[in-house]
Amino acid sequence: MKQATRRRIGHALSYAVLLGAAFVSLFPLFWTLSTSIKTRNDTFVLPPKFFNFEATWKNYIAIFDTRGFGQIYLNTVVITLASTVLCVLISTLAAYSLARSPRFRSRRPLEISMILVRAIPAIVIMVPLFTITSKLGVYDNHFALILMYAAVNVPFATWLMTSFVEQVPVTLEQSAAVDGAGRLQILWHVVLPLILPGMAATTIFVALLAWNEFLIPVMLAGNSAKTLPVFISGFISARNLDWGPMAAASSLAILPIAILTVLAQRWLISGLSSGAIKG
Amino acid sequence: MKPKGSIERQMARLAEALVVPSWVLILAVFALPILGALWLSFRNETLGAFAPPKFIGFENYTTTLADPRFWESIRTTIWLTVLGLLVQMPIGIGLAVILEKNLRGTQVFRTILIIPMLLTPVAVGLMWRFMFDTDLGVINWALAGLGLDGPNWLGARWPAIWAVVIVDSWQSIPFIMLIVLAGLAGLPKGPAEAATIDGANAFQVFFYITLPALGPVILVTLMIRIIDSLKMFDIIFIVTTKGGPGTATQTLGMLIYNTGFGFFQTSRAAALGILMVLMVLPVYWLWRRAAERA
């Protein structure tokens, strides 16, 4: 009896904490979305209006009317997709090597380099990269940005993919080899189909990181390759902060992610758990 | 049948070929710029200078080490890291322990709780920025409702530091929670159950059995969080407008940005970058040590 009561109190406390945490997690999201459809008057008012306001699309229209916004959104989508494909391909090849070949000459140096890439703050390389890209004439260049985006995410994607390749039984490959299949054939016909779910999870992650990337484009993109996070950051230099359009721009960055999270949560969580420890 | 050694050698050759693209990217985007930073740090390159740049030896380093702003930025970085860890680690571990109980609805809660870590940091920063507004922000309104006088969050040093810590924590706690959750799933259930039967309560089980067993996982998480705190950039850029008020939240990373891209002192910024790498390396070493034991 006493133990049952104690357990019930324990559960009630757990739910209270979870509900509190869920509220704190979601409130800023809710607040941004609701601010994005408020009129200026409803935005700057106390007590704040949580539900009792009239919805308007004016803020979104203002954002879409901003000169160059279509180009900015397009840039973000293109750079995200291209760099993600590139990064996942390169990382899968490296992951196959790391998972299947215990000893090849550049294994140890590669592992160390990847960890260093993860550990060294990217701001350090931005100053020389700015000088280098300017000298090479590829400042504000989509292709250069795609390469850099892919590079910063290669270590994380490689660790994630290595753990997925390791889950494929080696015996499958060995029997294919006995049947006379070449190494690349095995990789293509035996390994690839089995790691596709892992590749999908990795793709989602890398795409998220690329979509959110700010440091690289804020320093190395000008007007023609500008991305959404850079556009959003531009609001802070405006003298009178206009919260409505600001919230609308933020929502345009955040909404695709929130939807993706709910749709792909199973993959996200398994991927996060296996890749997180290392990277 | 072929001898085993030849297959292994064949495999090693293939492996070597498959990592070539990774090497190319890493060398081009990291190794080359780091060498570039080293080279720049011994020169006096500034954008828009009239005199042609030349080598000046260690001058950038000696000037930096004598500059109080450099030491202030290091103190700020350390404060943000320490306060962040003190907030994030207990909450992240606590939430993981609660989720591990697998109560009804855990799936839904887990999905909701990881959302913050996935959102665009720049947008997140902006969201919080208007919640932190002194007069019209929803946070100070809620504090007033509790009878508290909310600070001018972004107008003074310590409130601004706490604002950054809060936003950073909001985004990083889910990460800690997930790693610890994965660690908890890997623990044997036996010891905890035996202790419960022997009459230990939930807190005793947690502090004497679960926590020590999680030690290695927590250590790795700690190291990753330290490394990421040192890298923190986007949130400070937005929430406190690149390290404000004044230089109150200017971390070392932000100082590099402001030096290189605000004042266009390329070489000075490069020297700061090299110093930052030297500071990160010991953490990196500890992290690897911890990871090998986890």
Side-chain angles (χ1 to χ4, degrees):
Chain A
M1 167 64 199
K2 200 183 158 219
Q3 211 182 356
T5 327
R6 219 198 295 165
R7 171 172 302 191
R8 219 171 296 150
I9 294 174
H11 282 191
L13 279 178
S14 300
Y15 277 118
V17 172
L18 287 178
L19 281 173
F23 174 78
V24 174
S25 300
L26 291 182
F27 182 78
L29 195 57
F30 161 77
W31 197 235
T32 307
L33 294 178
S34 72
T35 304
S36 76
I37 51 169
K38 278 180 196 166
T39 61
R40 215 183 140 77
N41 287 339
D42 284 341
T43 305
F44 295 103
V45 69
L46 281 180
K49 295 195 169 178
F50 293 99
F51 297 105
N52 51 334
F53 59 85
E54 218 167 311
T56 168
W57 293 108
K58 261 172 52 190
N59 297 318
Y60 285 92
I61 293 167
I63 292 292
F64 281 111
D65 278 348
T66 312
R67 211 155 57 96
F69 184 77
Q71 180 67 40
I72 289 167
Y73 217 84
L74 188 69
N75 285 340
T76 318
V77 172
V78 168
I79 294 173
T80 298
L81 291 180
S83 69
T84 302
V85 170
L86 184 67
C87 174
V88 173
L89 278 179
I90 290 177
S91 304
T92 305
L93 297 179
Y96 184 71
S97 301
L98 290 172
R100 287 296 190 250
S101 185
R103 274 185 294 278
F104 59 94
R105 207 173 306 151
S106 68
R107 184 191 172 93
R108 194 73 191 132
L110 184 69
E111 283 174 336
I112 294 176
S113 316
M114 287 201 176
I115 297 162
L116 280 175
V117 167
R118 176 67 178 75
I120 290 174
I123 181 80
V124 171
I125 59 167
M126 283 304 151
V127 175
L129 269 180
F130 177 78
T131 311
I132 293 169
T133 50
S134 307
K135 291 234 162 83
L136 293 176
V138 290
Y139 173 81
D140 199 15
N141 175 298
H142 290 76
F143 189 67
L145 287 176
I146 289 168
L147 284 182
M148 284 181 248
Y149 272 58
V152 292
N153 292 326
V154 157
F156 173 71
T158 304
W159 281 315
L160 212 50
M161 282 313 300
T162 307
S163 70
F164 289 122
V165 177
E166 277 167 352
Q167 286 164 23
V168 177
V170 186
T171 47
L172 285 179
E173 290 177 58
Q174 285 164 344
S175 57
V178 171
D179 291 344
R183 275 287 148 198
L184 284 175
Q185 272 179 303
I186 295 175
L187 181 53
W188 184 257
H189 291 292
V190 181
V191 182
L192 191 67
L194 291 170
I195 56 171
L196 272 181
M199 278 179 89
T202 310
T203 304
I204 293 174
F205 272 114
V206 175
L208 266 178
L209 290 170
W211 180 263
N212 293 340
E213 178 64 49
F214 174 61
L215 193 57
I216 296 174
V218 80
M219 308 211 187
L220 305 176
N223 274 329
S224 82
K226 194 189 254 187
T227 64
L228 196 53
V230 180
F231 173 75
I232 293 174
S233 77
F235 279 102
I236 61 163
S237 48
R239 196 159 300 153
N240 54 342
L241 293 174
D242 208 351
W243 291 0
M246 239 158 78
S250 296
S251 302
L252 288 171
I254 281 169
L255 263 184
I257 302 175
I259 293 168
L260 187 75
T261 310
V262 175
L263 291 181
Q265 54 144 323
R266 185 185 303 247
W267 285 347
L268 280 170
I269 289 172
S270 74
L272 275 171
S273 314
S274 49
I277 289 275
K278 283 180 164 174
Chain B
M1 254 176 85
K2 287 183 212 166
K4 204 180 164 223
S6 102
I7 289 181
E8 217 167 82
R9 221 172 309 141
Q10 199 189 340
M11 192 56 221
R13 223 175 316 141
L14 176 69
E16 202 74 70
L18 294 182
V19 297
V20 168
S22 300
W23 272 122
V24 172
L25 269 192
I26 290 176
L27 292 178
V29 180
F30 286 92
L32 186 68
I34 296 252
L35 290 177
L38 200 60
W39 186 77
L40 281 172
S41 75
F42 292 115
R43 298 168 64 82
N44 63 347
E45 305 236 7
T46 54
L47 238 63
F50 292 111
K54 57 172 202 277
F55 275 87
I56 54 169
F58 284 91
E59 205 183 299
N60 286 316
Y61 291 95
T62 49
T63 330
T64 300
L65 292 173
D67 185 352
R69 279 175 313 167
F70 169 71
W71 297 105
E72 188 201 6
S73 77
I74 295 214
R75 276 196 302 274
T76 306
T77 311
I78 292 175
W79 270 119
L80 285 175
T81 306
V82 171
L83 293 175
L85 289 174
L86 288 176
V87 171
Q88 294 153 20
M89 293 301 289
I91 298 180
I93 295 171
L95 287 174
V97 169
I98 292 176
L99 285 178
E100 229 276 312
K101 289 205 237 167
N102 239 329
L103 303 173
R104 201 177 303 155
T106 291
Q107 291 276 7
V108 179
F109 278 114
R110 197 172 56 177
T111 308
I112 291 175
L113 295 189
I114 62 167
I115 287 178
M117 73 179 284
L118 304 168
L119 301 181
T120 316
V122 173
V124 163
L126 214 52
M127 281 156 45
W128 280 92
R129 202 178 144 134
F130 50 80
M131 293 188 356
F132 275 125
D133 190 276
T134 309
D135 302 318
L136 294 164
V138 69
I139 292 177
N140 275 1
W141 171 79
L143 288 176
L146 296 170
L148 296 167
D149 199 9
N152 178 1
W153 286 101
L154 306 177
R157 178 172 160 89
W158 283 103
I161 285 182
W162 275 108
V164 172
V165 168
I166 289 170
V167 181
D168 176 49
S169 301
W170 187 78
Q171 278 221 286
S172 342
I173 285 170
F175 172 78
I176 298 168
M177 182 186 87
L178 279 176
I179 303 191
V180 175
L181 204 51
L184 284 170
L187 292 185
K189 294 267 177 276
E193 277 167 13
T196 312
I197 291 169
D198 290 346
N201 64 34
F203 287 97
Q204 287 169 322
V205 171
F206 176 73
F207 282 107
Y208 290 106
I209 294 171
T210 313
L211 204 56
L214 273 181
V217 174
I218 291 177
L219 205 59
V220 174
T221 319
L222 202 66
M223 289 303 150
I224 296 178
R225 281 304 307 146
I226 292 177
I227 283 177
D228 284 344
S229 293
L230 299 176
K231 292 168 92 164
M232 194 191 334
F233 182 82
D234 306 11
I235 288 175
I236 299 175
F237 192 100
I238 301 294
V239 174
T240 66
T241 322
K242 309 176 192 181
T247 56
T249 56
Q250 181 169 261
T251 56
L252 185 50
M254 219 56 241
L255 179 63
I256 296 179
Y257 174 84
N258 288 333
T259 308
F261 293 86
F263 297 104
F264 300 112
Q265 295 176 316
T266 313
S267 283
R268 200 69 72 71
L272 280 167
I274 297 297
L275 288 171
M276 191 168 192
V277 171
L278 293 180
M279 271 177 262
V280 170
L281 285 181
V283 185
Y284 153 80
W285 185 75
L286 286 173
W287 171 32
R288 293 332 294 167
R289 288 280 305 274
E292 272 154 27
R293 261 183 278 162

